[in-house]
Amino acid sequence: GNSVTQMEGPVTLSEEAFLTINCTYTATGYPSLFWYVQYPGEGLQLLLKATKADDKGSNKGFEATYRKETTSFHLEKGSVQVSDSAVYFCALSDHRGGADGLTFGKGTHLIIQP
Amino acid sequence: DGGITQSPKYLFRKEGQNVTLSCEQNLNHDAMYWYRQDPGQGLRLIYYSQIVNDFQKGDIAEGYSVSREKKESFPLTVTSAQKNPTAFYLCASSHGQAGEQFFGPGTRLTVL
């Protein structure tokens, strides 16, 4: 079956530091890949996505590149801010005609200190 | 503004009682989903519906039931058969196969 593995948290960084959150996946075919962000007590917001190999998704200074050869979709940001503190989820959709729910990683709690 | 609403935000129930969580969307999306979120577990799919009057079980459907009588609405009932109902419940919708999903703000259910 499908699975998503992402680095366990919490990840604690200082403001303006470089961020990498690793995500690898197992899926049949050619899935679409997503990063979602969840702020405390809220639902999930789509941060970025990529639908085919070598695509780069980007939004709000965050980037992730769909690497089929390494089955990875690592999230990066060059300079984090305190407001980036949240839980980040990597997810995939394998486009099956049956279960169309996303497969999520367990989430990475990011804490940015001023 | 288009979006997904869930109500209530917080819900308390006594053990053994059924409870229904509301989910409404005005995005004109065909597909809707219910997820359960527990600390350290990520999100797990409970039920999904790709079209009105049709729905399918997800990975953890036992103890839950749904209906899809209208395109805009996908209520979830947590029954007394659900052994550990205390959790954060998230509703989502999408255009259909393979599209990104849009999430509501969630309902935190606590069973006392």
Side-chain angles (χ1 to χ4, degrees):
Chain A
N2 298 334
S3 67
V4 175
T5 302
Q6 58 183 109
M7 55 194 300
E8 300 284 334
V11 173
T12 303
L13 296 173
S14 297
E15 202 166 22
E16 299 183 2
F18 184 88
L19 169 71
T20 300
I21 300 178
N22 290 337
C23 171
T24 57
Y25 67 88
T26 302
T28 55
Y30 302 92
S32 292
L33 301 173
F34 307 89
W35 276 101
Y36 282 85
V37 59
Q38 184 179 35
Y39 298 101
E42 298 183 7
L44 274 67
Q45 301 175 25
L46 178 66
L47 182 59
L48 53 83
K49 69 175 183 179
T51 58
K52 61 182 186 297
D54 300 324
D55 267 1
K56 176 185 285 188
S58 61
N59 186 27
K60 300 181 181 179
F62 290 90
E63 294 183 339
T65 300
Y66 187 163
R67 301 290 189 196
K68 187 173 185 300
E69 64 275 13
T70 55
T71 62
S72 65
F73 193 54
H74 306 321
L75 183 68
E76 297 181 334
K77 186 175 185 182
S79 176
V80 292
Q81 306 300 314
V82 172
S83 57
D84 294 327
S85 299
V87 180
Y88 292 81
F89 291 93
C90 186
L92 71 81
S93 173
D94 69 0
H95 317 302
R96 289 178 296 166
D100 264 351
L102 297 174
T103 300
F104 286 89
K106 292 186 176 183
T108 301
H109 186 193
L110 176 64
I111 301 169
I112 307 300
Q113 296 178 333
Chain B
D1 288 339
I4 301 175
T5 57
Q6 291 185 243
S7 60
K9 189 169 180 62
Y10 299 96
L11 190 55
F12 297 88
R13 279 294 182 270
K14 292 183 178 180
E15 192 172 344
Q17 290 182 333
N18 292 355
V19 59
T20 298
L21 282 59
S22 169
C23 176
E24 304 278 333
Q25 55 99 359
N26 61 3
L27 299 168
N28 201 33
H29 286 170
D30 290 314
M32 297 186 74
Y33 312 82
W34 274 105
Y35 293 91
R36 171 181 170 137
Q37 185 178 22
D38 296 284
Q41 296 293 319
L43 280 74
R44 293 180 290 171
L45 183 64
I46 304 173
Y47 268 97
Y48 64 99
S49 169
Q50 295 182 333
I51 196 170
V52 174
N53 292 323
D54 186 53
F55 49 83
Q56 304 295 330
K57 293 181 179 180
D59 300 320
I60 55 165
E62 184 175 354
Y64 300 97
S65 65
V66 294
S67 63
R68 187 83 187 278
E69 298 176 0
K70 298 186 301 181
K71 188 176 185 177
E72 302 79 18
S73 179
F74 191 42
L76 173 74
T77 297
V78 184
T79 75
S80 56
Q82 168 51 232
K83 300 303 180 187
N84 297 295
T86 294
F88 190 49
Y89 291 88
L90 288 159
C91 180
S93 70
S94 75
H95 282 295
Q97 293 187 8
E100 63 262 35
Q101 295 184 9
F102 298 85
F103 284 80
T107 292
R108 185 167 298 280
L109 173 65
T110 302
V111 175
L112 306 172

